[in-house]
Amino acid sequence: MQAPATSMASPSATSPQAATSASPAAERPSTSATCFQEAYRYAIYLAPVGNWRDIGKRWLGRDEDSGAAIARAASDDARLDAWTEAPRHYGLHATLKPPFRLAPGTDAAGLDQAVRALARAQQPFGIALELRSLRGFLAWCLVENEPAWATNHGDVAAGRAALRVLADDAVRHLDPWRAPPAPEELARRLRADLDPAQRAMLQTWGYPYVLDTFKFHITLTGNLAGEDLSAARTQLESLSAGRLDRPMPVDAVTVYVQPTPAAPFVVARHYGFDGTTRDGAGANYLPMAKGTK
C-alpha cells in the first residue's frame, strides 16, 4: 500500500509530512510485478555524471549502475582498494536522503511515484566542486570560493541554492516512506561526536546531516590519515587534472537500493527533471507505480 499523497508545499523542519503524488511520466513500462522484491534499504542519492562519474567509478573500482567491479590497472596503487572500501560499498554518489527501510503501510511503488514528483518539481542546474578532506575522508565538496574558471558570477551561488532546495525537498517530502531507525542504530549514531543541531536532526529525520546541517559531498575514500591521506589526495588530483574545471550538471535524482543487509548498494532508477527515467541493475526492487508508463 502506498503512502497518501499531499501537496509539495515545504513542511517545517520538525514536522515530516507526506509527499505529493506524481503525474504519470512518459517512460517505458515497468518490469513485471512478479519480478519485484522489496529491498532491505532504499536511498535517494545524486548520481555524479560526466567526468565526475568516469573518474569516480574508476577510483572506487565499481560501476554503481550495474554493480560490476572495475578491474584495477597494473599501475594503480596497491592501497587503492583499502582506501575506497567504504565508499565502494555504497556506490559513487552524493547523499540527499540517506538509506532507510520502508515504513509500515508504504511500498516501493509509492516511493517511485513520490520520487518522480520530486524530480519533476526541479529545474536543471550546475554545481562547482573541489576535492577536500571532510571529517577524515576525501570527497568532492561544494567550492568555498568561486573558482577561476567560473565564467558567470551567479552560477556558483545559484547552483548552491538550487542544490539546497533539492536536498531539503528530498528529506522532507519522502519522509513518509522512511521507517524510524532501529534503537541500536539510533544509539550508535548518538555515540558520535554530534553537536545539538545534528542530534536534533538525527532524532527528527533519522540522520544528523540534513537541512541546516547538510554538507554536500561525493565520498571518495574511507577515513585516512597521514601518508595515506596525502597519497590519496595526490593521486586523485592527478587523475582529475584539467577534467573537472566546470560545473557538474545536476538534472536528475536517483534511487539506490541495498537488496540485503550485507549487499552493496546499486542504482535502481534515475529520475530526470524532465520526467524521463533510466533503470539500473536494482530496478526489480523498485516497481513503477500503477498506471505509470
Side-chain angles (χ1 to χ4, degrees):
M1 158 179 182
Q2 73 185 50
T6 64
S7 161
M8 281 291 283
S10 296
S12 72
T14 58
S15 301
Q17 295 183 9
T20 182
S21 62
S23 300
E27 295 100 19
R28 57 194 174 89
S30 171
T31 53
S32 168
T34 60
C35 297
F36 169 68
Q37 305 173 60
E38 184 175 305
Y40 176 67
R41 288 195 295 176
Y42 295 78
I44 315 303
Y45 289 161
L46 191 156
V49 298
N51 285 345
W52 291 266
R53 179 173 187 258
D54 294 343
I55 293 168
K57 71 177 184 178
R58 176 188 165 189
W59 175 257
L60 295 187
R62 181 168 172 263
D63 184 305
E64 69 280 2
D65 272 285
S66 67
I70 297 173
R72 297 295 188 192
S75 59
D76 283 344
D77 193 302
R79 297 169 290 181
L80 192 49
D81 279 343
W83 290 344
T84 59
E85 180 180 4
R88 185 167 55 252
H89 175 78
Y90 290 92
L92 185 69
H93 76 280
T95 299
L96 298 176
K97 189 169 185 64
F100 56 91
R101 300 292 307 274
L102 288 178
T106 69
D107 60 22
L111 178 64
D112 170 77
Q113 186 179 34
V115 179
R116 288 171 191 273
L118 171 73
R120 294 184 72 169
Q122 314 298 320
Q123 294 295 323
F125 57 92
I127 49 177
L129 303 174
E130 63 186 4
L131 182 65
R132 292 215 307 269
S133 177
L134 180 66
R135 301 194 299 273
F137 59 88
L138 291 174
W140 285 319
C141 303
L142 296 177
V143 297
E144 294 184 326
N145 300 297
E146 184 167 315
W149 46 258
T151 57
N152 184 328
H153 185 74
D155 283 349
V156 172
R160 184 185 295 270
L163 175 65
R164 177 62 190 270
V165 169
L166 173 60
D168 287 2
D169 282 354
V171 168
R172 290 172 169 141
H173 298 305
L174 302 179
D175 211 59
W177 281 266
R178 176 184 64 86
E184 58 272 18
E185 179 184 353
L186 188 61
R188 175 178 59 82
R189 289 197 178 277
L190 284 170
R191 287 196 296 270
D193 185 18
L194 303 177
D195 64 30
Q198 292 164 346
R199 286 177 174 269
M201 293 301 175
L202 176 61
Q203 295 283 3
T204 303
W205 304 100
Y207 193 65
Y209 308 112
V210 296
L211 303 179
D212 290 343
T213 61
F214 173 68
K215 291 185 178 180
F216 177 90
H217 60 280
I218 301 170
T219 305
L220 298 169
T221 72
N223 287 329
L224 302 177
E227 199 277 332
D228 280 338
L229 181 64
S230 176
R233 177 189 288 274
T234 297
Q235 291 178 37
L236 270 167
E237 289 173 343
S238 176
L239 191 63
S240 59
R243 300 179 62 189
L244 305 181
D245 55 353
R246 59 190 62 84
M248 186 181 79
V250 177
D251 60 6
V253 295
T254 301
V255 175
Y256 286 49
V257 294
Q258 183 182 32
T260 61
F265 282 77
V266 66
V267 167
R269 185 165 299 126
H270 300 282
Y271 297 81
F273 296 169
D274 61 358
T276 61
T277 62
R278 180 168 57 86
D279 283 356
N284 284 343
Y285 296 95
L286 190 62
M288 294 185 183
K290 185 176 180 181
T292 303
K293 297 182 178 180

